[in-house]
mmCIF file with all atom_site columns, all heavy atoms in Angstrom:
data_model
loop_
_atom_site.group_PDB
_atom_site.id
_atom_site.type_symbol
_atom_site.label_atom_id
_atom_site.label_alt_id
_atom_site.label_comp_id
_atom_site.label_asym_id
_atom_site.label_entity_id
_atom_site.label_seq_id
_atom_site.pdbx_PDB_ins_code
_atom_site.Cartn_x
_atom_site.Cartn_y
_atom_site.Cartn_z
_atom_site.occupancy
_atom_site.B_iso_or_equiv
_atom_site.pdbx_formal_charge
_atom_site.auth_seq_id
_atom_site.auth_comp_id
_atom_site.auth_asym_id
_atom_site.auth_atom_id
_atom_site.pdbx_PDB_model_num
ATOM 1  N N   . GLY B 1 105 ? 75.498 -18.951 10.814 1.00 92.00 ? 394 GLY B N   1
ATOM 2  C CA  . GLY B 1 105 ? 74.720 -18.649 12.018 1.00 92.00 ? 394 GLY B CA  1
ATOM 3  C C   . GLY B 1 105 ? 73.934 -17.359 11.856 1.00 92.00 ? 394 GLY B C   1
ATOM 4  O O   . GLY B 1 105 ? 72.745 -17.298 12.158 1.00 92.00 ? 394 GLY B O   1
ATOM 5  N N   . LEU B 1 149 ? 62.418 -14.810 3.154  1.00 93.00 ? 438 LEU B N   1
ATOM 6  C CA  . LEU B 1 149 ? 63.024 -15.986 2.537  1.00 93.00 ? 438 LEU B CA  1
ATOM 7  C C   . LEU B 1 149 ? 63.915 -15.586 1.354  1.00 93.00 ? 438 LEU B C   1
ATOM 8  O O   . LEU B 1 149 ? 65.014 -16.124 1.180  1.00 93.00 ? 438 LEU B O   1
ATOM 9  C CB  . LEU B 1 149 ? 61.920 -16.940 2.071  1.00 93.00 ? 438 LEU B CB  1
ATOM 10 C CG  . LEU B 1 149 ? 62.384 -18.304 1.567  1.00 93.00 ? 438 LEU B CG  1
ATOM 11 C CD1 . LEU B 1 149 ? 63.035 -19.094 2.682  1.00 93.00 ? 438 LEU B CD1 1
ATOM 12 C CD2 . LEU B 1 149 ? 61.206 -19.092 1.002  1.00 93.00 ? 438 LEU B CD2 1
ATOM 13 N N   . PRO B 1 174 ? 83.765 -30.957 4.715  1.00 79.00 ? 463 PRO B N   1
ATOM 14 C CA  . PRO B 1 174 ? 82.650 -31.176 5.650  1.00 79.00 ? 463 PRO B CA  1
ATOM 15 C C   . PRO B 1 174 ? 81.944 -32.497 5.329  1.00 79.00 ? 463 PRO B C   1
ATOM 16 O O   . PRO B 1 174 ? 81.940 -32.935 4.176  1.00 79.00 ? 463 PRO B O   1
ATOM 17 C CB  . PRO B 1 174 ? 81.730 -29.995 5.373  1.00 79.00 ? 463 PRO B CB  1
ATOM 18 C CG  . PRO B 1 174 ? 82.018 -29.600 3.972  1.00 79.00 ? 463 PRO B CG  1
ATOM 19 C CD  . PRO B 1 174 ? 83.467 -29.920 3.719  1.00 79.00 ? 463 PRO B CD  1
ATOM 20 N N   . ASP B 1 175 ? 81.399 -33.091 6.365  1.00 75.00 ? 464 ASP B N   1
ATOM 21 C CA  . ASP B 1 175 ? 80.737 -34.377 6.224  1.00 75.00 ? 464 ASP B CA  1
ATOM 22 C C   . ASP B 1 175 ? 79.291 -34.139 5.771  1.00 75.00 ? 464 ASP B C   1
ATOM 23 O O   . ASP B 1 175 ? 78.356 -34.136 6.563  1.00 75.00 ? 464 ASP B O   1
ATOM 24 C CB  . ASP B 1 175 ? 80.793 -35.089 7.584  1.00 75.00 ? 464 ASP B CB  1
ATOM 25 C CG  . ASP B 1 175 ? 80.101 -36.444 7.515  1.00 75.00 ? 464 ASP B CG  1
ATOM 26 O OD1 . ASP B 1 175 ? 79.888 -36.935 6.386  1.00 75.00 ? 464 ASP B OD1 1
ATOM 27 O OD2 . ASP B 1 175 ? 79.775 -36.974 8.580  1.00 75.00 ? 464 ASP B OD2 1
ATOM 28 N N   . LYS B 1 241 ? 69.917 -29.596 29.210 1.00 86.00 ? 530 LYS B N   1
ATOM 29 C CA  . LYS B 1 241 ? 68.549 -29.965 29.550 1.00 86.00 ? 530 LYS B CA  1
ATOM 30 C C   . LYS B 1 241 ? 67.598 -28.788 29.326 1.00 86.00 ? 530 LYS B C   1
ATOM 31 O O   . LYS B 1 241 ? 66.490 -28.942 28.840 1.00 86.00 ? 530 LYS B O   1
ATOM 32 C CB  . LYS B 1 241 ? 68.487 -30.366 31.031 1.00 86.00 ? 530 LYS B CB  1
ATOM 33 C CG  . LYS B 1 241 ? 68.820 -31.798 31.294 1.00 86.00 ? 530 LYS B CG  1
ATOM 34 C CD  . LYS B 1 241 ? 68.425 -32.176 32.713 1.00 86.00 ? 530 LYS B CD  1
ATOM 35 C CE  . LYS B 1 241 ? 69.011 -31.226 33.730 1.00 86.00 ? 530 LYS B CE  1
ATOM 36 N NZ  . LYS B 1 241 ? 69.336 -31.813 35.036 1.00 86.00 ? 530 LYS B NZ  1
ATOM 37 N N   . GLU B 1 253 ? 70.264 -26.791 14.567 1.00 92.00 ? 542 GLU B N   1
ATOM 38 C CA  . GLU B 1 253 ? 71.244 -27.879 14.540 1.00 92.00 ? 542 GLU B CA  1
ATOM 39 C C   . GLU B 1 253 ? 71.111 -28.696 13.260 1.00 92.00 ? 542 GLU B C   1
ATOM 40 O O   . GLU B 1 253 ? 72.105 -29.144 12.683 1.00 92.00 ? 542 GLU B O   1
ATOM 41 C CB  . GLU B 1 253 ? 71.055 -28.770 15.776 1.00 92.00 ? 542 GLU B CB  1
ATOM 42 C CG  . GLU B 1 253 ? 71.636 -28.161 17.032 1.00 92.00 ? 542 GLU B CG  1
ATOM 43 C CD  . GLU B 1 253 ? 73.130 -27.901 16.921 1.00 92.00 ? 542 GLU B CD  1
ATOM 44 O OE1 . GLU B 1 253 ? 73.909 -28.868 16.891 1.00 92.00 ? 542 GLU B OE1 1
ATOM 45 O OE2 . GLU B 1 253 ? 73.532 -26.713 16.820 1.00 92.00 ? 542 GLU B OE2 1
ATOM 46 N N   . ALA B 1 291 ? 41.626 -10.392 16.237 1.00 85.00 ? 580 ALA B N   1
ATOM 47 C CA  . ALA B 1 291 ? 42.103 -9.013  16.379 1.00 85.00 ? 580 ALA B CA  1
ATOM 48 C C   . ALA B 1 291 ? 41.777 -8.171  15.153 1.00 85.00 ? 580 ALA B C   1
ATOM 49 O O   . ALA B 1 291 ? 41.554 -6.977  15.261 1.00 85.00 ? 580 ALA B O   1
ATOM 50 C CB  . ALA B 1 291 ? 43.605 -9.008  16.621 1.00 85.00 ? 580 ALA B CB  1
#
Side-chain angles (χ1 to χ4, degrees):
Chain B
L438 188 64
D464 179 17
K530 274 193 307 212
E542 282 300 290

